């Protein structure tokens, strides 16, 4: 039996659906039923129920976006750092393997290959880098699981949300048997306030950048497949291979959905942060070589985007 924490959340719901489709036994646990944020209570629960595997999809993201985490710092720290540490310690004490939904938002930028050198560029909005992305995308490489986060409390500036997610990974590293699954900007065909494709269509203006992103169903399948394949425990970047620019996404939306609106872009980072955002945003490219090398099959990002828009279902 698999135990899911945070089953009512955006990602937790996708884990529930996937396990139902696989006809795999599972159960869910809410903090109202049992306060799994407290070590002794959760450890005793694990001792009693003996799940084969625990999925932690609980966390604090802020609503409507990460700007809210700047004022709800206690909740953000509890949900993204202290809670994973408690779960890790309880699972280790009970001998229970588990997986934690983390975030790729602990990185900024990409690795750029130019003139025979590979260097990290934190800001991919520079005109020369935008030109390189368009003309030579093979020169843009992602951060790997061995790279230290560069959008964190240790390497500021960062959002408080990203800082707590990086600190959470640091806190649970090496504690028990665990997977750390890095999610990035979830999307799928179902219109939702949490869906990246919905957000793009509703923003008054669109912020253009370069990102790796994760199809929600592809993400949970890959996470569960890592467990099914007995892949080595550790960190995995779980994004659809490749990267995409916001302009590419907008062009796909216009071509497939033919919206009545005309999309406008922020003229610069300065305008975006002056008008629309309170805290720095993570935009980054992730490397998926380790994930694919473990035997996990996952669609390239452009294929997943095309499929989601072709199957688009608006809210009713």
């Amino acid at each position: 039996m698999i135990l899911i924490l945070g089953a009512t959340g955006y990602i937790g719901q996708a884990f529930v659906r996937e396990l139902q489709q696989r006809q795999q036994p599972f159960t869910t646990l809410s903090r109202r039923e049992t306060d799994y944020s407290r070590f002794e209570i959760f450890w005793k629960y694990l001792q009693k129920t003996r799940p084969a595997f625990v999925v932690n999809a609980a966390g604090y993201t802020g609503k409507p976006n990460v700007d809210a985490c700047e004022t709800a710092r206690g909740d953000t720290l509890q949900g993204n750092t202290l809670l994973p540490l408690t779960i890790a310690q309880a699972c280790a004490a009970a001998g229970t393997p588990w997986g934690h939904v983390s975030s790729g938002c602990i990185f900024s930028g990409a690795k750029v290959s130019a003139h025979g050198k590979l260097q990290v560029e934190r800001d991919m909005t520079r005109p020369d880098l935008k030109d390189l992305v368009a003309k030579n995308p093979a020169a843009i490489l992602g951060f790997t699981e061995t790279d230290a986060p560069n959008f964190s409390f240790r390497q500021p500036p960062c959002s408080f949300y990203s800082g707590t997610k990086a600190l959470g990974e640091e806190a649970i590293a090496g504690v028990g048997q665990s997977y750390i699954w890095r999610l990035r900007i979830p999307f799928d065909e179902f219109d939702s306030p949490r869906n990246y494709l919905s957000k793009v269509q509703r923003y008054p203006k669109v912020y253009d950048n370069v990102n790796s992103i994760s199809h929600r169903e592809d993400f949970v399948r890959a996470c569960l497949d890592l467990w099914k394949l007995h892949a080595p425990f550790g960190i995995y970047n779980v994004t659809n291979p490749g990267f995409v620019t916001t302009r590419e996404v907008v062009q796909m939306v216009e071509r497939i959905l033919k919206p009545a609106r005309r999309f406008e872009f922020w003229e610069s980072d300065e305008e975006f942060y002056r008008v629309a955002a309170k805290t720095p945003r993570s935009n980054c490219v992730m490397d998926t070589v380790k994930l694919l090398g473990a035997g996990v099959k996952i669609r390239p990002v452009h294929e997943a985007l095309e499929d989601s828009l072709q199957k688009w279902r608006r809210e009713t």
Side-chain angles (χ1 to χ4, degrees):
M1 178 194 70
I2 291 178
L3 171 65
I4 305 177
L5 308 177
T8 59
Y10 189 58
I11 302 303
Q13 292 172 23
F15 272 107
V16 168
R17 285 196 302 271
E18 180 61 23
L19 289 170
Q20 288 172 337
Q21 291 176 4
R22 296 186 182 203
Q23 297 184 330
Q24 188 163 353
F26 73 93
T27 189
T28 65
L29 181 66
S30 72
R31 288 179 63 177
R32 288 182 180 179
E33 298 172 270
T34 299
D35 188 0
Y36 55 78
S37 69
R38 297 174 61 184
F39 169 82
E40 186 173 357
I41 291 175
F42 188 47
W43 173 67
K44 287 182 177 179
Y45 177 88
L46 294 174
Q47 291 280 73
K48 179 181 178 181
T49 60
R50 291 293 179 185
F53 188 67
V54 174
V55 171
N56 176 38
Y60 193 89
T61 58
K63 292 180 180 180
N65 55 45
V66 295
D67 284 340
C69 296
E70 300 299 314
T71 53
R73 294 195 167 194
D75 291 335
T76 305
L77 184 65
Q78 166 62 28
N80 299 336
T81 303
L82 301 179
L83 176 61
L85 178 58
T86 297
I87 294 169
Q89 292 173 331
C91 285
T96 306
W98 71 296
H100 171 60
V101 177
S102 186
S103 174
C105 294
I106 58 179
F107 290 96
S108 179
K111 296 177 181 178
V112 176
S113 177
H115 311 296
K117 295 182 179 179
L118 188 65
Q119 61 187 36
V120 173
E121 297 286 356
R122 283 183 61 125
D123 181 10
M124 295 298 292
T125 64
R126 280 182 7 215
D128 60 318
L129 293 177
K130 283 188 174 183
D131 189 58
L132 185 64
V133 168
K135 294 180 178 178
N136 186 17
I140 311 301
L141 304 175
F143 294 102
T144 71
E145 290 81 355
T146 59
D147 291 318
N150 70 342
F151 194 73
S152 67
F153 294 144
R154 295 189 183 277
Q155 291 197 44
C158 70
S159 66
F160 194 77
Y161 167 78
S162 292
T164 60
K165 293 299 283 190
L167 197 59
E169 285 197 6
E170 190 175 328
I172 67 178
V175 180
Q177 297 178 307
S178 67
Y179 293 106
I180 294 175
W181 303 311
R182 287 176 175 162
L183 172 76
R184 275 286 294 158
I185 313 181
F187 72 97
D188 59 16
E189 64 269 32
F190 302 104
D191 189 13
S192 162
R194 292 288 307 277
N195 186 336
Y196 170 58
L197 295 177
S198 299
K199 293 178 181 181
V200 167
Q201 294 178 71
R202 290 170 184 160
Y203 287 144
K205 288 187 178 181
V206 184
Y207 181 48
D208 188 26
N209 218 305
V210 183
N211 279 295
S212 290
I213 57 181
S214 303
H215 184 278
R216 189 164 54 139
E217 186 175 345
D218 290 359
F219 172 82
V220 300
R221 283 177 177 171
C223 294
L224 294 171
D225 284 348
L226 285 168
W227 166 243
K228 180 181 177 181
L229 292 166
H230 305 291
F233 293 111
I235 302 172
Y236 289 85
N237 297 333
V238 189
T239 64
N240 292 84
F243 61 85
V244 67
T245 67
T246 318
R247 288 189 182 272
E248 287 180 297
V249 174
V250 167
Q251 289 168 2
M252 294 176 76
V253 169
E254 290 176 329
R255 173 172 56 84
I256 298 170
L257 300 184
K258 296 179 173 54
R261 67 165 291 186
R262 177 178 175 271
F263 288 91
E264 296 182 16
F265 289 82
W266 296 105
E267 292 183 3
S268 64
D269 261 21
E270 290 75 18
E271 183 189 33
F272 173 70
Y273 283 110
R274 185 177 68 251
V275 178
K278 297 178 182 178
T279 188
R281 295 296 197 267
S282 163
N283 295 276
C284 66
V285 178
M286 309 294 289
D287 182 279
T288 55
V289 169
K290 182 178 179 182
L291 179 72
L292 300 174
V296 172
K297 292 178 171 49
I298 185 168
R299 297 176 293 178
V301 64
H302 289 88
E303 180 183 333
L305 279 167
E306 178 87 17
D307 184 60
S308 293
L309 290 170
Q310 292 289 353
K311 297 176 179 176
W312 188 249
R313 303 183 187 182
R314 297 195 180 279
E315 281 186 326
T316 56

